[in-house]
Amino acid sequence: MKFAKIIIYALALVVSTATNAQFKTVGEVSYKLSLGQGSEFIEMAGYVAGLADAGQGFIICIPRGTTLGYTLGVASRGLSAARGPNDAAAPLLIKAMIAAYPCRTL
C-alpha cells in the first residue's frame, strides 16, 4: 500500500509539472488567493480544492470538519517555499497538503 502511495505521489508531481493544462504559477495563485473574494479568488480556491480532492485518501487525508479556508491557509504557506513567482504552484501545494494532512497507515 505504501508503494502505491509513492507511485501516485510521483505521478501527481510529474503530471502537474509536465502538462500545460491548468498550469498555474506561484505568483498567480498567491495573488488571486490574496484577493479574498471575487471570481479570481474563487477560481484559485477551486484549483486548490481540486488538488486536495485528487489526492484525498491516497496521499492527502484531510480530517472531517476541516474548512476550505484552513486548507487555503495551508496552501498559502506552502507557496512561500517557492524560489520565485514563476515556479509551478501544483507541486508546492501538493507537498504542503501532504505535510499538513498526512495519511496514517494501519
Side-chain angles (χ1 to χ4, degrees), residues 2-93:
K2 189 171 184 168
F3 181 71
K5 287 182 183 181
I6 292 170
I7 295 297
I8 290 169
Y9 176 63
L11 286 174
L13 287 177
V14 169
V15 169
S16 68
T17 57
T19 182
N20 287 333
Q22 294 299 310
F23 177 77
K24 305 288 184 198
T25 65
V26 167
E28 178 184 9
V29 175
S30 294
Y31 169 72
K32 290 181 179 180
L33 286 178
S34 74
L35 296 174
Q37 63 182 358
S39 63
E40 291 180 322
F41 170 78
I42 292 170
E43 174 193 356
M44 285 308 108
Y47 180 71
V48 170
L51 289 172
D53 285 347
Q56 179 65 15
F58 298 102
I59 59 173
I60 300 166
C61 292
I62 300 173
R64 280 201 167 116
T66 302
T67 65
L68 177 58
Y70 185 84
T71 300
L72 294 177
V74 168
S76 292
R77 288 186 295 278
L79 293 173
S80 68
R83 290 171 291 174
N86 293 323
D87 285 356
L92 295 171
L93 294 169

